Amino acid sequence: MTNSGTTRRGVIGALAGAAAVTALPAETASANAAAAETPFRAKPGSSKRPNILFILADDLGWADLSSYGSPEIKTPNLDRLARGGVRFTQAYSAGAVCSPTRVALYTGRFPGRTPGGLPEPIGSANERDGIPSTHPTLASLLKKAGYTTALIGKWHGGFLPYFSPLRAGWDEFFGNYSGGLDYYSKISGNGHDLYDGETPVQSDQYYTDLIADRAEEFVRREHRKPWLLNLNFTSPHWPWEAPGDRALSEEITARVKAGDGRALFHYDGGSLETYTKMVENLDQRIGQVLTALRRTGQEENTLVVFASDNGGERFSYNWPLTGNKGSLQEGGIRVPTILRWPARVRSGQVSHEPVVTHDWTATLLEIAGAAPSPEYPLDGASFAGYLLRGADAPERDLFWRTRANRALRRGKWKYLRLSTSDALYDVEADPREQANLAAKHPEIVAELRAKWEEINSKLLSYG
């Protein structure tokens, strides 16, 4: 793809789609904000290797930020982050649920390359479901290249005693191993789930606030080497607890301890008001960490990426997309994504290039001067040339699969199978995926289906 968003496979279709892309209501904060954004253009230059702060929200919907069109939720800190760098309108998660995306980010490969990427999501402790200590990761490769590495917050890459961030390249870890936990008691479906490294610890502080405090402490340290910080919030993942909801936390925790395996899923609770409070608190706490960067003089040369691990859940705002978490429709895998690096990337920009989770792994490794392992080739494509040198964005197919569904995107075309029928959508002109063009373009369906099956044949079976 080129910087302007066209593809060599379909220039006419991409140009037609570009107008639709830029006009989506969920892709503009306001008329003034949209007018202030300029199409992405690289700023060639040079700099020392940056610190890397990769922030993951959990189950945040496509349009849950005001800079992505939320009419109710106010996210001034993330909006400011977007104004300071690049807002991506066609960014995707590697999976439709938590752990497959995280496995892809940590390894730079399709989730289906490793057994730990197959569960949807990882839910129990066993020797299979996790990232083996022998597999290179973003952290281990950066560490080998001279970086200090830390992971704060949600790991979800395998349970003790078999897997841990400390065994996968991170120098330190503070957070939870599971997919979701109570924000106050820190209880999960697997029991108490707050750890400093591999040692259980106690805290009754609201979890989003707790890990933001820990991240601020990390940022404020004296660092003699460049660093990687994976900051993985659980917010706004269920249970639907906003700051101050201690009585609700006590109720849910009591139900979990009494054996109610569905209590944490909180199907009998939550509201738009609570969800709004959770996202706005998340924004506030991210602002806390970004302020620490600025006050310690590290902002200029810290590359910040913010994204969600998959599409939104019950109370998310996904307009105009269809589907949500767990689905391979756009609402399940298209996610808000922001990049800022003041030393090398201009502010106030927008990019319509498709990019997926494991592309960031490849990109960050190249920018940091860390070589991938030839024994574990990356599936992600590096965007370093696009971001820093004015090169075309990588042109390749984007691939997804779940146990039940399949999808592949090539240029403007998206091949999708949600049950037994193949569908084809022009997701630039029709991001809501309502006009099924499969009958009009059977040859395109056949070509994309064949490519999906080719990639799938090289991955581990769900069996």
Side-chain angles (χ1 to χ4, degrees), residues 17-31:
V21 166
T22 55
L24 291 179
E27 293 180 351
T28 56
S30 65

Side-chain angles (χ1 to χ4, degrees), residues 41-360:
R41 184 166 57 90
K43 182 178 72 173
S46 62
S47 64
K48 61 182 181 179
R49 296 189 299 169
N51 301 318
I52 298 168
L53 172 59
F54 201 108
I55 306 171
L56 265 186
D58 199 349
D59 294 358
L60 185 75
W62 158 249
D64 278 337
L65 306 183
S66 41
S67 50
Y68 277 80
S70 174
E72 301 293 338
I73 302 173
K74 307 303 179 187
T75 53
N77 293 290
L78 286 166
D79 300 343
R80 191 175 303 113
L81 185 73
R83 290 195 300 272
V86 188
R87 189 175 63 89
F88 289 82
T89 66
Q90 298 191 58
Y92 291 93
S93 59
V97 295
C98 304
S99 54
T101 293
R102 294 165 196 274
V103 169
L105 174 62
Y106 301 151
T107 65
R109 310 174 80 207
F110 294 132
R113 296 287 187 196
T114 58
L118 299 181
E120 297 173 347
I122 297 172
S124 62
N126 59 67
E127 297 180 357
R128 180 191 67 250
D129 297 340
I131 300 175
S133 59
T134 55
H135 196 298
T137 64
L138 174 65
S140 68
L141 294 169
L142 288 179
K143 184 175 180 178
K144 186 177 180 181
Y147 273 67
T148 298
T149 59
L151 192 153
I152 297 173
K154 176 175 173 176
W155 158 241
H156 216 181
F159 288 93
L160 292 171
Y162 310 105
F163 306 100
S164 137
L166 299 186
R167 308 178 195 190
W170 282 269
D171 295 316
E172 61 183 270
F173 166 65
F174 180 86
N176 64 299
Y177 282 83
S178 67
L181 76 169
D182 184 90
Y183 283 81
Y184 281 106
S185 70
K186 314 305 184 294
I187 196 167
S188 74
N190 301 86
H192 178 79
D193 193 14
L194 180 63
Y195 288 80
D196 194 337
E198 299 182 3
T199 303
V201 293
Q202 300 292 326
S203 172
D204 66 352
Q205 185 180 4
Y206 188 72
Y207 193 44
T208 308
D209 300 351
L210 175 64
I211 62 175
D213 287 349
R214 185 72 175 229
E216 180 183 6
E217 185 273 328
F218 175 88
V219 168
R220 289 186 176 277
R221 291 181 203 167
E222 181 180 357
H223 293 281
R224 299 184 181 276
K225 300 189 294 183
W227 48 261
L228 163 72
L229 172 57
N230 287 98
L231 178 54
N232 298 347
F233 290 96
T234 58
S235 186
H237 191 286
W238 44 256
W240 313 114
E241 295 173 2
D245 287 344
R246 288 185 179 271
L248 177 58
S249 168
E250 291 171 3
E251 174 195 331
I252 291 175
T253 299
R255 288 169 56 188
V256 174
K257 290 181 176 179
D260 183 352
R262 309 292 287 173
L264 280 172
F265 292 94
H266 210 182
Y267 286 116
D268 57 352
S271 67
L272 288 173
E273 180 182 6
T274 297
Y275 187 79
T276 295
K277 290 178 181 178
M278 294 176 74
V279 177
E280 291 185 347
N281 172 256
L282 171 67
D283 177 79
Q284 179 183 357
R285 292 307 178 179
I286 290 173
Q288 171 186 341
V289 178
L290 298 177
T291 296
L293 275 179
R294 184 175 68 253
R295 291 179 176 174
T296 56
Q298 298 177 89
E299 180 180 76
E300 182 73 9
N301 200 44
T302 297
L303 193 164
V304 180
V305 178
F306 170 84
S308 181
D309 62 346
N310 47 249
E313 244 231 34
R314 278 161 266 172
F315 297 103
S316 293
Y317 181 64
N318 273 347
W319 180 262
L321 310 180
T322 301
N324 52 20
K325 176 182 178 179
S327 169
L328 293 183
Q329 292 174 290
E330 291 291 286
I333 53 175
R334 195 189 289 203
V335 293
T337 300
I338 297 165
L339 179 144
R340 187 189 73 183
W341 184 11
R344 291 299 311 276
V345 176
R346 293 182 176 91
S347 62
Q349 299 190 95
V350 61
S351 173
H352 304 305
E353 299 294 345
V355 59
V356 69
T357 302
H358 36 290
D359 291 339
W360 294 118

